[in-house]
Short mmCIF file of all heavy atoms in Angstrom, two decimals:
data_model
loop_
_atom_site.label_atom_id
_atom_site.label_comp_id
_atom_site.label_asym_id
_atom_site.label_seq_id
_atom_site.Cartn_x
_atom_site.Cartn_y
_atom_site.Cartn_z
N HIS A 1 -7.19 -16.16 -3.64
CA HIS A 1 -7.54 -14.96 -4.46
C HIS A 1 -8.31 -13.92 -3.68
O HIS A 1 -7.97 -12.70 -3.80
CB HIS A 1 -8.48 -15.38 -5.68
CG HIS A 1 -8.82 -14.29 -6.57
ND1 HIS A 1 -8.09 -13.91 -7.69
CD2 HIS A 1 -9.76 -13.38 -6.49
CE1 HIS A 1 -8.63 -12.90 -8.34
NE2 HIS A 1 -9.66 -12.52 -7.59
N GLU A 2 -9.32 -14.33 -2.87
CA GLU A 2 -10.07 -13.34 -2.11
C GLU A 2 -9.21 -12.78 -1.07
O GLU A 2 -9.32 -11.53 -0.73
CB GLU A 2 -11.20 -14.09 -1.43
CG GLU A 2 -12.27 -14.55 -2.52
CD GLU A 2 -13.44 -15.24 -1.81
OE1 GLU A 2 -13.27 -15.86 -0.76
OE2 GLU A 2 -14.57 -15.17 -2.42
N GLN A 3 -8.24 -13.45 -0.48
CA GLN A 3 -7.26 -12.94 0.57
C GLN A 3 -6.49 -11.85 -0.12
O GLN A 3 -6.20 -10.77 0.46
CB GLN A 3 -6.43 -14.00 1.10
CG GLN A 3 -7.15 -14.99 2.05
CD GLN A 3 -6.29 -16.18 2.44
OE1 GLN A 3 -5.31 -16.47 1.83
NE2 GLN A 3 -6.79 -16.89 3.45
N LYS A 4 -5.97 -12.03 -1.34
CA LYS A 4 -5.17 -11.12 -1.99
C LYS A 4 -5.93 -9.88 -2.46
O LYS A 4 -5.48 -8.73 -2.45
CB LYS A 4 -4.50 -11.67 -3.26
CG LYS A 4 -3.44 -12.76 -2.98
CD LYS A 4 -2.33 -12.16 -2.17
CE LYS A 4 -1.24 -13.17 -1.78
NZ LYS A 4 -0.15 -12.54 -1.00
N ASN A 5 -7.22 -10.09 -2.76
CA ASN A 5 -8.09 -8.95 -3.21
C ASN A 5 -8.34 -8.00 -1.96
O ASN A 5 -8.30 -6.86 -2.05
CB ASN A 5 -9.39 -9.46 -3.73
CG ASN A 5 -10.25 -8.33 -4.24
OD1 ASN A 5 -9.93 -7.64 -4.99
ND2 ASN A 5 -11.52 -8.39 -3.65
N THR A 6 -8.59 -8.69 -0.83
CA THR A 6 -8.73 -7.97 0.40
C THR A 6 -7.48 -7.23 0.78
O THR A 6 -7.53 -6.01 1.23
CB THR A 6 -9.16 -8.84 1.60
OG1 THR A 6 -10.34 -9.64 1.26
CG2 THR A 6 -9.30 -8.18 2.84
N GLU A 7 -6.34 -7.92 0.62
CA GLU A 7 -5.09 -7.28 0.91
C GLU A 7 -4.82 -6.02 0.03
O GLU A 7 -4.37 -5.00 0.53
CB GLU A 7 -3.94 -8.22 0.71
CG GLU A 7 -2.56 -7.82 1.20
CD GLU A 7 -1.51 -8.90 0.98
OE1 GLU A 7 -1.86 -10.07 0.92
OE2 GLU A 7 -0.36 -8.48 1.08
N LEU A 8 -5.30 -6.01 -1.22
CA LEU A 8 -5.11 -4.83 -2.14
C LEU A 8 -5.90 -3.71 -1.57
O LEU A 8 -5.37 -2.55 -1.51
CB LEU A 8 -5.45 -5.23 -3.60
CG LEU A 8 -5.19 -4.24 -4.59
CD1 LEU A 8 -4.89 -4.87 -5.93
CD2 LEU A 8 -6.44 -3.29 -4.79
N HIS A 9 -7.19 -4.00 -1.26
CA HIS A 9 -7.98 -2.84 -0.84
C HIS A 9 -7.60 -2.38 0.50
O HIS A 9 -7.68 -1.15 0.80
CB HIS A 9 -9.49 -3.35 -0.88
CG HIS A 9 -10.05 -3.49 -2.22
ND1 HIS A 9 -10.55 -2.37 -2.94
CD2 HIS A 9 -10.16 -4.55 -3.03
CE1 HIS A 9 -11.03 -2.80 -4.12
NE2 HIS A 9 -10.72 -4.02 -4.22
N GLN A 10 -7.11 -3.25 1.38
CA GLN A 10 -6.70 -2.76 2.67
C GLN A 10 -5.43 -1.98 2.62
O GLN A 10 -5.17 -1.08 3.48
CB GLN A 10 -6.57 -3.95 3.57
CG GLN A 10 -7.90 -4.51 4.06
CD GLN A 10 -7.77 -5.63 5.13
OE1 GLN A 10 -6.58 -6.28 5.23
NE2 GLN A 10 -8.81 -6.01 5.82
N LEU A 11 -4.65 -2.32 1.53
CA LEU A 11 -3.34 -1.52 1.39
C LEU A 11 -3.66 0.00 1.08
O LEU A 11 -3.01 0.82 1.53
CB LEU A 11 -2.57 -2.14 0.25
CG LEU A 11 -1.17 -1.52 0.04
CD1 LEU A 11 -0.28 -1.67 1.23
CD2 LEU A 11 -0.49 -2.25 -1.17
N ILE A 12 -4.75 0.14 0.36
CA ILE A 12 -5.21 1.60 0.09
C ILE A 12 -5.53 2.22 1.41
O ILE A 12 -5.08 3.34 1.69
CB ILE A 12 -6.39 1.56 -0.89
CG1 ILE A 12 -5.92 1.01 -2.27
CG2 ILE A 12 -6.94 2.96 -1.07
CD1 ILE A 12 -7.10 0.80 -3.26
N ILE A 13 -6.36 1.48 2.29
CA ILE A 13 -6.82 2.05 3.51
C ILE A 13 -5.61 2.30 4.39
O ILE A 13 -5.51 3.44 4.96
CB ILE A 13 -7.78 1.08 4.19
CG1 ILE A 13 -9.13 0.95 3.32
CG2 ILE A 13 -8.16 1.61 5.52
CD1 ILE A 13 -9.88 2.14 3.05
N HIS A 14 -4.71 1.39 4.62
CA HIS A 14 -3.62 1.52 5.47
C HIS A 14 -2.65 2.59 5.01
O HIS A 14 -2.02 3.25 5.92
CB HIS A 14 -2.86 0.13 5.62
CG HIS A 14 -3.74 -0.86 6.26
ND1 HIS A 14 -3.27 -2.27 6.45
CD2 HIS A 14 -4.99 -0.90 6.78
CE1 HIS A 14 -4.11 -2.96 7.00
NE2 HIS A 14 -5.25 -2.15 7.26
N SER A 15 -2.51 2.76 3.71
CA SER A 15 -1.60 3.74 3.29
C SER A 15 -2.13 5.14 3.29
O SER A 15 -1.30 6.03 3.03
CB SER A 15 -1.25 3.33 1.80
OG SER A 15 -0.68 2.05 1.69
N ALA A 16 -3.23 5.39 3.75
CA ALA A 16 -3.82 6.67 3.89
C ALA A 16 -3.35 7.34 5.11
O ALA A 16 -3.35 8.66 5.23
CB ALA A 16 -5.34 6.69 3.94
N GLY A 17 -2.78 6.65 6.07
CA GLY A 17 -2.24 7.23 7.28
C GLY A 17 -3.23 7.75 8.33
O GLY A 17 -2.96 8.56 9.05
N SER A 18 -4.44 7.10 8.30
CA SER A 18 -5.54 7.57 9.14
C SER A 18 -5.97 6.34 9.97
O SER A 18 -6.64 5.44 9.39
CB SER A 18 -6.72 8.17 8.43
OG SER A 18 -7.83 8.37 9.25
N GLY A 19 -5.68 6.28 11.22
CA GLY A 19 -6.08 5.19 12.10
C GLY A 19 -7.59 5.11 12.21
O GLY A 19 -8.12 3.94 12.28
N LYS A 20 -8.35 6.20 12.33
CA LYS A 20 -9.73 6.17 12.42
C LYS A 20 -10.43 5.70 11.20
O LYS A 20 -11.43 4.87 11.26
CB LYS A 20 -10.28 7.61 12.74
CG LYS A 20 -11.71 7.61 13.22
CD LYS A 20 -11.86 6.92 14.59
CE LYS A 20 -13.28 6.97 15.14
NZ LYS A 20 -13.46 6.17 16.32
N LEU A 21 -9.88 6.10 10.05
CA LEU A 21 -10.45 5.62 8.82
C LEU A 21 -10.28 4.09 8.67
O LEU A 21 -11.25 3.38 8.24
CB LEU A 21 -9.74 6.33 7.67
CG LEU A 21 -10.43 6.24 6.27
CD1 LEU A 21 -9.95 7.41 5.35
CD2 LEU A 21 -10.00 4.95 5.50
N LYS A 22 -9.06 3.58 9.08
CA LYS A 22 -8.86 2.16 9.04
C LYS A 22 -9.85 1.49 9.92
O LYS A 22 -10.39 0.35 9.51
CB LYS A 22 -7.33 1.92 9.54
CG LYS A 22 -7.00 0.49 9.52
CD LYS A 22 -5.57 0.39 10.09
CE LYS A 22 -5.18 -1.10 10.38
NZ LYS A 22 -3.82 -1.23 10.95
N GLU A 23 -10.11 1.93 11.12
CA GLU A 23 -11.00 1.25 12.04
C GLU A 23 -12.41 1.22 11.49
O GLU A 23 -13.13 0.20 11.62
CB GLU A 23 -10.98 2.00 13.43
CG GLU A 23 -11.89 1.54 14.41
CD GLU A 23 -11.91 2.48 15.73
OE1 GLU A 23 -10.86 3.10 15.96
OE2 GLU A 23 -12.93 2.48 16.43
N MET A 24 -12.90 2.33 10.97
CA MET A 24 -14.30 2.33 10.44
C MET A 24 -14.38 1.44 9.19
O MET A 24 -15.44 0.77 9.03
CB MET A 24 -14.56 3.78 9.97
CG MET A 24 -14.69 4.76 11.15
SD MET A 24 -14.84 6.46 10.64
CE MET A 24 -16.51 6.46 9.81
N TYR A 25 -13.41 1.38 8.41
CA TYR A 25 -13.36 0.55 7.25
C TYR A 25 -13.50 -0.96 7.57
O TYR A 25 -14.27 -1.69 6.96
CB TYR A 25 -12.18 0.81 6.35
CG TYR A 25 -12.14 0.00 5.06
CD1 TYR A 25 -12.78 0.42 3.85
CD2 TYR A 25 -11.45 -1.21 4.96
CE1 TYR A 25 -12.72 -0.31 2.70
CE2 TYR A 25 -11.43 -1.94 3.84
CZ TYR A 25 -12.04 -1.47 2.69
OH TYR A 25 -12.00 -2.21 1.54
N GLN A 26 -12.72 -1.27 8.59
CA GLN A 26 -12.69 -2.65 9.07
C GLN A 26 -14.04 -3.14 9.52
O GLN A 26 -14.50 -4.21 9.11
CB GLN A 26 -11.65 -2.89 10.20
CG GLN A 26 -11.48 -4.32 10.73
CD GLN A 26 -11.05 -5.28 9.63
OE1 GLN A 26 -10.19 -4.96 8.86
NE2 GLN A 26 -11.68 -6.42 9.69
N THR A 27 -14.77 -2.34 10.28
CA THR A 27 -16.18 -2.70 10.71
C THR A 27 -17.06 -2.88 9.59
O THR A 27 -17.81 -3.86 9.46
CB THR A 27 -16.63 -1.64 11.62
OG1 THR A 27 -15.81 -1.54 12.74
CG2 THR A 27 -18.07 -1.92 12.11
N LEU A 28 -16.98 -1.92 8.52
CA LEU A 28 -17.87 -2.04 7.41
C LEU A 28 -17.55 -3.25 6.61
O LEU A 28 -18.47 -3.98 6.14
CB LEU A 28 -17.66 -0.80 6.49
CG LEU A 28 -18.23 0.57 7.01
CD1 LEU A 28 -17.70 1.69 6.15
CD2 LEU A 28 -19.79 0.48 7.14
N ASN A 29 -16.32 -3.53 6.37
CA ASN A 29 -15.90 -4.69 5.49
C ASN A 29 -16.34 -6.02 6.09
O ASN A 29 -16.58 -7.06 5.41
CB ASN A 29 -14.41 -4.70 5.34
CG ASN A 29 -13.98 -5.12 3.87
OD1 ASN A 29 -14.70 -4.76 2.96
ND2 ASN A 29 -12.96 -5.81 3.74
N THR A 30 -16.43 -6.07 7.43
CA THR A 30 -16.87 -7.32 8.12
C THR A 30 -18.28 -7.67 7.61
O THR A 30 -18.53 -8.85 7.31
CB THR A 30 -16.94 -7.10 9.69
OG1 THR A 30 -15.57 -6.91 10.05
CG2 THR A 30 -17.49 -8.28 10.36
N HIS A 31 -19.23 -6.71 7.57
CA HIS A 31 -20.50 -7.04 7.14
C HIS A 31 -20.57 -7.46 5.65
O HIS A 31 -21.34 -8.43 5.29
CB HIS A 31 -21.39 -5.75 7.22
CG HIS A 31 -21.57 -5.33 8.61
ND1 HIS A 31 -22.51 -5.93 9.49
CD2 HIS A 31 -20.93 -4.52 9.36
CE1 HIS A 31 -22.53 -5.40 10.64
NE2 HIS A 31 -21.50 -4.52 10.67
N ILE A 32 -19.72 -6.90 4.78
CA ILE A 32 -19.67 -7.35 3.40
C ILE A 32 -19.18 -8.82 3.40
O ILE A 32 -19.64 -9.61 2.49
CB ILE A 32 -18.84 -6.45 2.62
CG1 ILE A 32 -19.51 -5.08 2.53
CG2 ILE A 32 -18.56 -6.98 1.23
CD1 ILE A 32 -18.65 -3.94 1.86
N THR A 33 -18.16 -9.10 4.14
CA THR A 33 -17.63 -10.54 4.19
C THR A 33 -18.71 -11.54 4.62
O THR A 33 -18.83 -12.59 4.03
CB THR A 33 -16.45 -10.60 5.24
OG1 THR A 33 -15.43 -9.68 4.81
CG2 THR A 33 -15.89 -11.99 5.27
N ILE A 34 -19.48 -11.24 5.62
CA ILE A 34 -20.57 -12.06 6.07
C ILE A 34 -21.60 -12.26 4.96
O ILE A 34 -21.97 -13.41 4.71
CB ILE A 34 -21.26 -11.49 7.27
CG1 ILE A 34 -20.35 -11.54 8.46
CG2 ILE A 34 -22.51 -12.30 7.58
CD1 ILE A 34 -20.84 -10.87 9.71
N ALA A 35 -21.95 -11.20 4.25
CA ALA A 35 -22.88 -11.31 3.13
C ALA A 35 -22.32 -12.19 2.09
O ALA A 35 -23.03 -13.06 1.44
CB ALA A 35 -23.22 -9.97 2.56
N ARG A 36 -21.03 -12.15 1.69
CA ARG A 36 -20.48 -12.95 0.70
C ARG A 36 -20.41 -14.42 1.05
O ARG A 36 -20.73 -15.30 0.21
CB ARG A 36 -19.05 -12.43 0.37
CG ARG A 36 -18.97 -11.17 -0.39
CD ARG A 36 -17.60 -10.73 -0.84
NE ARG A 36 -17.54 -9.62 -1.77
CZ ARG A 36 -16.79 -8.60 -1.70
NH1 ARG A 36 -15.88 -8.55 -0.71
NH2 ARG A 36 -16.88 -7.65 -2.58
N ILE A 37 -20.07 -14.68 2.27
CA ILE A 37 -20.17 -16.04 2.88
C ILE A 37 -21.56 -16.59 2.71
O ILE A 37 -21.77 -17.73 2.36
CB ILE A 37 -19.56 -16.08 4.27
CG1 ILE A 37 -18.08 -15.72 4.25
CG2 ILE A 37 -19.79 -17.47 4.85
CD1 ILE A 37 -17.54 -15.57 5.65
N HIS A 38 -22.59 -15.76 3.13
CA HIS A 38 -23.93 -16.18 3.16
C HIS A 38 -24.48 -16.61 1.87
O HIS A 38 -25.12 -17.58 1.76
CB HIS A 38 -24.72 -15.01 3.77
CG HIS A 38 -26.20 -15.27 3.89
ND1 HIS A 38 -26.71 -16.24 4.69
CD2 HIS A 38 -27.28 -14.73 3.23
CE1 HIS A 38 -28.00 -16.35 4.62
NE2 HIS A 38 -28.34 -15.43 3.68
N CYS A 39 -24.15 -15.85 0.81
CA CYS A 39 -24.73 -16.09 -0.50
C CYS A 39 -23.89 -17.01 -1.35
O CYS A 39 -24.35 -17.61 -2.34
CB CYS A 39 -25.09 -14.83 -1.26
SG CYS A 39 -23.63 -13.99 -1.88
N GLY A 40 -22.65 -17.08 -1.07
CA GLY A 40 -21.77 -18.03 -1.83
C GLY A 40 -21.20 -17.60 -3.15
O GLY A 40 -20.40 -18.20 -3.73
N GLY A 41 -21.72 -16.40 -3.55
CA GLY A 41 -21.21 -15.89 -4.87
C GLY A 41 -21.41 -16.88 -6.01
O GLY A 41 -20.41 -17.32 -6.65
N GLN A 42 -22.64 -17.13 -6.41
CA GLN A 42 -23.01 -18.02 -7.41
C GLN A 42 -22.24 -17.80 -8.70
O GLN A 42 -21.89 -18.82 -9.44
CB GLN A 42 -24.42 -18.10 -7.64
CG GLN A 42 -25.22 -18.60 -6.35
CD GLN A 42 -25.72 -17.39 -5.53
OE1 GLN A 42 -25.11 -16.33 -5.56
NE2 GLN A 42 -26.72 -17.69 -4.69
N ASN A 43 -22.17 -16.60 -9.17
CA ASN A 43 -21.55 -16.24 -10.52
C ASN A 43 -20.25 -15.70 -10.35
O ASN A 43 -19.69 -14.97 -11.27
CB ASN A 43 -22.45 -15.28 -11.29
CG ASN A 43 -23.90 -15.86 -11.50
OD1 ASN A 43 -24.03 -17.05 -11.87
ND2 ASN A 43 -24.91 -15.05 -11.13
#
């Protein structure tokens, strides 16, 4: 489910046609991924 959710949001980014925007988004999303792994998403 999380993979599909990520795919949906990345589809928005990729479909914008901006390589720089894609690159910046990928870096930001990495930190959010780490935070989610760290806390486990209790609820």
Side-chain angles (χ1 to χ4, degrees):
H1 179 96
E2 290 179 336
Q3 289 172 346
K4 291 299 177 183
N5 184 58
T6 298
E7 190 175 338
L8 186 148
H9 286 276
Q10 288 185 341
L11 185 58
I12 295 173
I13 298 297
H14 294 179
S15 302
S18 171
K20 194 63 178 179
L21 194 156
K22 176 182 173 182
E23 179 185 334
M24 293 172 67
Y25 182 86
Q26 180 62 40
T27 299
L28 290 172
N29 218 38
T30 295
H31 294 277
I32 294 173
T33 299
I34 292 174
R36 283 184 172 137
I37 293 170
H38 179 64
C39 69
Q42 296 92 338
N43 300 314

